[in-house]
Amino acid sequence: MDEKTLRKIKERLGSDIAARQAHLAKQNARFERQVLVCGGSGCSSGNSKKIYDEFAREIKEKSLIGKVNLVMTGCFGLCALGPVVIIYPEGSFYANVKLEHVEEIVDGHLVGGKPVKQLLYKETVNENGEITPLADTDFYRKQSRLALRNCGVIDPENIEEYIARDGYFALLKALNMPRGKIIEEVSDSGLRGRGGAGFLTGRKWKFTYDAQSDVKYVACNADEGDPGAFMDRSVLEGDPHVVLEAMSIAAYAVGANHGFIYVRAEYPVAVHRLQVAIKQSREVGLLGKNILNKNFDFDIEIRLGAGAFVCGEETALMTSIEGKRGEPRPRPPFPAVKGLRGKPTLLNNVETYANIPQIILNGSKWFSSVGTEKSKGTKVFALGGKIHNTGLVEVPMGTSLREIVYEIGGGIPQGKAFKAAQTGGPSGGCIPAELIDTEIDYESLQSIGSMMGSGGLIVMDEDNCMVDIAKFFLEFTVDESCGKCTPCRVGTKRLYEMLCKITDGKATLEDLDKMEELCHYIQDNSLCGLGQSAPNPVLSTLKYYRKEYEAHIVDKVCPAGVCKSLIRYEIDPDKCIGCNLCARNCSANAIRGTVKKPHVIDPEACIKCGICETVCRFKAIKKVGGKK
Amino acid sequence: MKGSNLPFQGTVEQERQLRDKLAELKPQGGALMPALQYAQELYGYLPYEVQKIIAEELNVTLSDVYGVATFYSQFSLFPKGKYQIGICLGTACYVNGSGEIYDKLRNILGIESGECTLDRMFSLDATRCVGCCGMAPVMTVNGDVYGKVKADDVEGILSKYSAKESKNNG
Ligand SMILES: Cc1cc2nc3c(=O)[nH]c(=O)nc-3n(C[C@H](O)[C@H](O)[C@H](O)COP(=O)(O)O)c2cc1C
Ligand code: SF4
Ligand code: SF4
Ligand code: FES
Ligand code: FES
């Protein structure tokens, strides 16, 4: 592979790819139409592979081969509407596609030339029945896709499509730059680590560059431990080459010839796409010896993580790559000095890497023109929970939480009230409604007791109990603490027990003070970030939802009606006609009564599953808060 | 724990495959994790018998093997059922009520996360985000994804699989 070949590939495929982005794109692609089927994890679980196969069959049967280009891409972002199919040049966004829709779409759109309007995403059809650009929908309008620029645009298993999107041109450019200049460019861009802590990427590169050693390594953290997040997974599944290219640039800059990607074994599709990408890069000589004839050797190995949250911590990750129990060790020495196998190692997160090629190609000024004073560029969030448009969003730093929740996210379903947004996963905190205008960046989130984290953003409504949520995260950390240091191992356990005491209605107000004290003790005395940040979910909920804690303790009531010990089910004798349906559905045999007479629930036997409430046709059964 | 006392049913052929793989992995540094990953794939879990072979071939102590096998949640010391049920307890699913579905599954099957029913039909695992939060709460059976599950749906989903069995047997 050399510069000439790269340019040839780009020339050959460039127009096809360009025609996949704009609404009613000028038709200079080699195909009449291009059908993009989402192969992201959300849509795949909705059977998008079968939909792809069905399109392939139909296209063949209706002799459209050569006229229609069928492509399986990564996530488009609007996973809530999956499986999704987009057809260009119209930019028609087909939502919730089912197998039986395929023939209709092929006949109507591909053969007949008319988009099948009733199957399109509602927001892309206006009242006159005209198709409006996808980019104008609430979901996409405020987004700017930088790290995700190829996700949902190219076929991740085809290196040529990546090249056609300027892929590997950044590497080419970097290999012609002095190494110090590359690092300067990354530093000046202001890019900060997207793995959570937000350390300046350029500075980390500089440290590794400065370290003296015969051997150095670069590594990519694709462990993505936040249990409600899938940003890194989507990048790997939708655009694996961007990570390989960025790692190559980093390796050249800091002086490494060997790289590792540490990826969760629970992400089989991501692992597969990485394997395919590495194989293709090796075949064309973009990994291996003498890359792009620039006398630079570099290769990458994949290492599978095995489901331990703490292994996302950098020192634990490296121990795990060495095949041991992934326990953190004290820093310094930092990995940039002493990392994998005792050698200087540069570790960056997947999304951090995904920004690098564009910074090299467009320059640091271009990148730093987006974002806030101290947080540059964009951030990808996995938007989930009680929100209409669950999915993957990428917004400039400084976008307000309100814009993300109400505009991009489309608000809360069933007209419920927004209660909290959780960022930073088990290390983060809950942001209350009164702070919804916070403009998101590293500093602002920290100052309100949460953190950026890797990008999980979970919305909660009035039906969620904040004490229960704190307990949920603590249960997670208790489970995931590696056990090396006592403040974390024992402290989180105690904290969890105190929360259980509260949700059981057995705590006193003094317990709240004790709990807060314990939180600070754990923060101050744990060895690694897991323990240090484990109390955050408790502290932030205590700060903003103290009343809710007090309700559990003083009134013995769970206002959201979640905590089982504090609710009960009752049958209204005036409404109950004695049909016996509830009793037959109660798996605990807790409902007594004779036919045609009002029934009663035995509170001792009731396990509070709530089934009876849903089966009763006369709305006679109600959940009641508080202990009797 | 249910399932822990189920007898080991490994075959001679499996053991040969495992030993071959271990011989191949041994010269590389950090062979223990890949070895466990391979063995878990081969047997579906890592019983004492398998851990012993790994310790022997890689020349490490059994407690090293056990230490690593129990550290990572991907490794299971107990067999999996013919139908492996996963319930997502990722944040997005939990917020949408997956905790209740988990309770229901434990109730019906009478097992905890990580365990297997005595007839080896069902095993249960509480998992983290499976990447389709758009369909939260999510439950999986042998990789088939069920989205927007309600506690009421659980019996129906399970009976689909038990019905398949009784059909196969009768
Ligand atoms: C308990 C714990 C878990 C972490 N998990 C991850 C993770 O899943 N992915 C990640 O990229 N960084 C994770 N980190 C942060 C890493 O230690 C490290 O800072 C990061 O990978 C560096 O890359 P960056 O500078 O590009 O963000 C975790 C840190 C801690 C303390
Ligand atoms: S803080 Fe917790 S996870 Fe980190 S080293 Fe200590 S025990 Fe392990
Ligand atoms: S809540 Fe569940 S256990 Fe209690 S009475 Fe109703 S059906 Fe029975
Ligand atoms: S997985 Fe298809 S849109 Fe996200
Ligand atoms: S949290 Fe359950 S699929 Fe993401």
Side-chain angles (χ1 to χ4, degrees):
Chain A
M1 180 67 69
D2 52 16
E3 184 172 349
K4 228 172 89 194
T5 324
L6 275 185
R7 290 203 186 285
K8 263 198 200 143
I9 294 172
K10 187 177 165 186
E11 215 165 282
R12 181 156 48 83
L13 295 175
S15 55
D16 295 349
I17 313 270
R20 276 180 213 166
Q21 292 158 71
H23 171 62
L24 290 173
K26 266 248 192 70
Q27 203 35 284
N28 47 13
R30 293 172 302 166
F31 302 94
E32 217 169 79
R33 283 202 170 72
Q34 303 195 74
V35 179
L36 275 56
V37 180
C38 176
S41 26
C43 292
S44 301
S45 58
N47 251 334
S48 63
K49 179 75 183 71
K50 284 210 180 112
I51 291 169
Y52 175 90
D53 291 342
E54 183 64 10
F55 265 109
R57 206 187 52 73
E58 281 276 322
I59 286 170
K60 192 164 164 213
E61 193 182 294
K62 304 206 163 131
S63 316
L64 294 169
I65 293 177
K67 285 189 192 158
V68 172
N69 190 16
L70 178 64
V71 186
M72 185 110 169
T73 70
C75 174
F76 294 127
L78 236 179
C79 314
L81 298 180
V84 177
V85 173
I86 303 186
I87 297 183
Y88 287 102
E90 293 87 351
S92 314
F93 189 103
Y94 290 99
N96 302 117
V97 178
K98 298 206 168 55
L99 216 49
E100 57 267 27
H101 294 150
V102 175
E103 193 178 352
E104 200 179 339
I105 297 174
V106 171
D107 287 344
H109 197 158
L110 300 183
V111 178
K114 290 205 182 67
V116 187
K117 279 185 190 149
Q118 64 275 21
L119 296 177
L120 294 177
Y121 173 32
K122 289 195 306 294
E123 278 208 36
T124 61
V125 185
N126 69 13
E127 34 320 338
N128 304 328
E130 293 150 2
I131 300 180
T132 54
L134 191 55
D136 290 353
T137 56
D138 284 339
F139 183 76
Y140 287 105
R141 200 170 18 156
K142 293 219 161 162
Q143 294 198 46
S144 44
R145 293 191 138 210
L146 209 115
L148 297 176
R149 73 189 277 276
N150 292 331
C151 258
V153 176
I154 63 168
D155 172 0
E157 298 195 19
N158 182 348
I159 188 173
E160 295 200 333
E161 293 211 341
Y162 179 68
I163 293 172
R165 281 282 274 167
D166 295 324
Y168 291 104
F169 283 87
L171 176 62
L172 181 71
K173 184 171 173 188
L175 292 178
N176 286 316
M177 283 161 75
R179 298 156 87 201
K181 181 79 184 94
I182 300 175
I183 294 174
E184 207 179 293
E185 206 63 48
V186 175
S187 293
D188 291 349
S189 75
L191 174 66
R192 297 169 65 173
R194 304 296 194 235
F199 193 79
L200 279 164
T201 306
R203 192 177 300 167
K204 206 188 251 183
W205 288 31
K206 180 78 165 57
F207 287 153
T208 321
Y209 171 81
D210 286 340
Q212 299 296 319
S213 174
D214 50 339
V215 178
K216 294 180 189 175
Y217 296 107
V218 292
C220 173
N221 191 341
D223 198 39
E224 194 154 64
D226 179 352
F230 52 98
M231 303 75 49
D232 294 346
R233 169 189 202 148
S234 303
V235 172
L236 296 174
E237 290 181 358
D239 193 15
H241 281 285
V242 78
V243 177
L244 306 189
E245 182 179 10
M247 287 178 75
S248 307
I249 295 169
Y252 173 72
V254 304
N257 300 104
H258 206 92
F260 289 92
I261 302 177
Y262 187 84
V263 53
R264 300 172 74 87
E266 293 95 324
Y267 285 2
V269 180
V271 173
H272 171 75
R273 301 237 163 104
L274 273 175
Q275 281 165 339
V276 171
I278 290 176
K279 183 162 167 279
Q280 289 176 347
S281 293
R282 281 186 190 146
E283 276 164 10
V284 300
L286 285 165
L287 280 177
K289 298 255 178 256
N290 193 21
I291 293 167
L292 292 164
N293 300 327
K294 297 289 174 194
N295 217 352
F296 165 60
D297 303 343
F298 181 61
D299 211 338
I300 296 177
E301 273 180 58
I302 298 176
R303 283 300 157 94
L304 298 187
F309 177 60
V310 74
C311 287
E313 194 278 339
E314 52 188 23
T315 59
L317 182 144
M318 299 193 186
T319 326
S320 179
I321 288 185
E322 291 164 8
K324 304 182 200 132
R325 284 167 66 99
E327 286 175 6
R329 60 157 178 79
R331 300 169 306 173
F334 286 92
V337 176
K338 210 166 175 215
L340 256 176
R341 300 171 184 159
K343 303 292 181 188
T345 305
L346 172 73
L347 177 71
N348 278 127
N349 161 266
V350 171
E351 190 187 330
T352 313
Y353 278 126
N355 283 295
I356 296 289
Q358 291 302 304
I359 293 176
I360 298 297
L361 281 178
N362 304 319
S364 53
K365 285 223 173 61
W366 167 83
F367 185 83
S368 62
S369 69
V370 179
T372 62
E373 192 197 335
K374 287 191 177 155
S375 305
K376 300 298 184 190
T378 58
K379 180 75 195 87
V380 181
F381 289 100
L383 191 56
K386 302 282 183 64
I387 184 121
H388 268 294
N389 299 334
T390 42
L392 203 62
V393 308
E394 181 171 0
V395 290
M397 295 276 189
T399 304
S400 77
L401 196 53
R402 181 187 296 282
E403 288 168 285
I404 297 178
V405 171
Y406 285 103
E407 293 182 39
I408 298 172
I412 321 276
Q414 297 167 358
K416 301 256 175 169
F418 170 93
K419 184 164 184 183
Q422 210 278 347
T423 64
S427 312
C430 290
I431 305 167
E434 59 266 29
L435 292 175
I436 197 167
D437 288 307
T438 305
E439 293 175 352
I440 294 189
D441 70 9
Y442 291 96
E443 278 72 29
S444 67
L445 288 179
Q446 197 125 41
S447 74
I448 56 175
S450 186
M451 66 180 267
M452 181 74 83
S454 53
L457 205 173
I458 309 287
V459 178
M460 298 170 204
D461 70 8
E462 54 193 281
D463 293 340
N464 292 113
C465 166
M466 302 316 283
V467 186
D468 180 65
I469 294 297
K471 195 170 91 177
F472 165 76
F473 282 116
L474 255 293
E475 188 174 5
F476 177 87
T477 24
V478 168
D479 215 32
E480 296 293 340
S481 163
C482 81
K484 187 167 172 165
C485 53
T486 324
C488 168
R489 186 187 64 240
V490 182
T492 54
K493 189 101 200 292
R494 290 289 162 275
L495 211 47
Y496 174 70
E497 288 163 1
M498 287 170 149
L499 288 164
C500 290
K501 208 170 146 191
I502 298 174
T503 56
D504 280 344
K506 293 181 182 143
T508 62
L509 284 176
E510 273 158 43
D511 287 322
L512 281 189
D513 299 329
K514 274 195 223 149
M515 199 164 77
E516 228 170 321
E517 209 176 294
L518 179 59
C519 283
H520 295 301
Y521 179 78
I522 298 172
Q523 281 182 325
D524 295 342
N525 292 290
S526 295
L527 171 64
C528 85
L530 189 150
Q532 289 157 9
S533 61
N536 290 355
V538 180
L539 286 172
S540 79
T541 47
L542 256 180
K543 180 167 171 195
Y544 298 118
Y545 306 91
R546 198 174 181 100
K547 282 216 170 70
E548 202 166 338
Y549 277 88
E550 288 169 356
H552 285 74
I553 295 171
V554 181
D555 312 329
K556 312 285 178 215
V557 163
C558 172
V562 171
C563 299
K564 291 244 155 103
S565 311
L566 301 181
I567 55 165
R568 68 202 137 77
Y569 285 87
E570 272 179 6
I571 300 179
D572 181 345
D574 295 335
K575 288 191 182 156
C576 176
I577 61 145
C579 71
N580 199 244
L581 188 63
C582 57
R584 274 178 279 138
N585 277 283
C586 173
S587 59
N589 280 327
I591 306 183
R592 326 231 180 282
T594 37
V595 183
K596 294 193 178 151
K597 295 261 165 62
H599 284 40
V600 281
I601 295 174
D602 172 3
E604 297 300 314
C606 173
I607 54 166
K608 297 167 190 174
C609 66
I611 298 282
C612 51
E613 186 187 10
T614 55
V615 296
C616 179
R617 299 201 191 114
F618 305 93
K619 296 201 185 336
I621 306 184
K622 283 253 145 29
K623 181 161 76 178
V624 196
K627 265 192 173 155
K628 223 174 189 171
Chain B
M1 186 180 279
K2 297 194 187 63
S4 54
N5 50 2
L6 293 174
F8 177 55
Q9 295 176 332
T11 63
V12 181
E13 173 58 20
Q14 280 174 322
E15 180 168 337
R16 192 189 55 75
Q17 278 177 295
L18 176 62
R19 287 192 193 267
D20 286 354
K21 183 74 183 183
L22 292 172
E24 179 194 319
L25 287 172
K26 193 178 172 185
Q28 304 169 12
L32 187 48
M33 288 258 293
L36 290 171
Q37 268 151 351
Y38 180 82
Q40 165 110 359
E41 182 102 332
L42 190 63
Y43 292 92
Y45 72 120
L46 300 170
Y48 171 75
E49 290 82 354
V50 171
Q51 293 178 45
K52 226 171 76 183
I53 299 173
I54 294 174
E56 225 172 84
E57 293 282 335
L58 295 183
N59 217 352
V60 293
T61 65
L62 189 59
S63 75
D64 281 339
V65 177
Y66 182 79
V68 173
T70 49
F71 186 81
Y72 296 99
S73 64
Q74 187 206 356
F75 300 128
S76 168
L77 302 191
F78 306 108
K80 294 286 166 205
K82 179 161 181 195
Y83 299 107
Q84 300 181 19
I85 302 170
I87 170 73
C88 179
L89 291 189
T91 320
C93 285
Y94 185 78
V95 165
N96 277 303
S98 68
E100 274 175 40
I101 298 161
Y102 178 44
D103 288 345
K104 181 98 192 234
L105 282 165
R106 287 190 300 185
N107 257 327
I108 297 181
L109 298 172
I111 54 177
E112 294 294 313
S113 175
E115 297 181 346
C116 173
T117 54
L118 284 173
D119 59 4
R120 294 197 189 217
M121 203 51 76
F122 293 106
S123 55
L124 179 62
D125 285 291
T127 66
R128 315 278 194 225
C129 183
V130 290
C132 22
C133 317
M135 310 205 295
V138 173
M139 167 180 164
T140 58
V141 182
N142 286 357
D144 289 344
V145 177
Y146 294 87
K148 300 205 166 48
V149 179
K150 291 188 213 62
D152 290 6
D153 302 339
V154 170
E155 266 139 353
I157 295 173
L158 291 184
S159 66
K160 240 174 78 178
Y161 295 91
S162 9
K164 214 186 260 177
E165 279 316 301
S166 32
K167 206 150 98 208
N168 287 350
N169 296 337

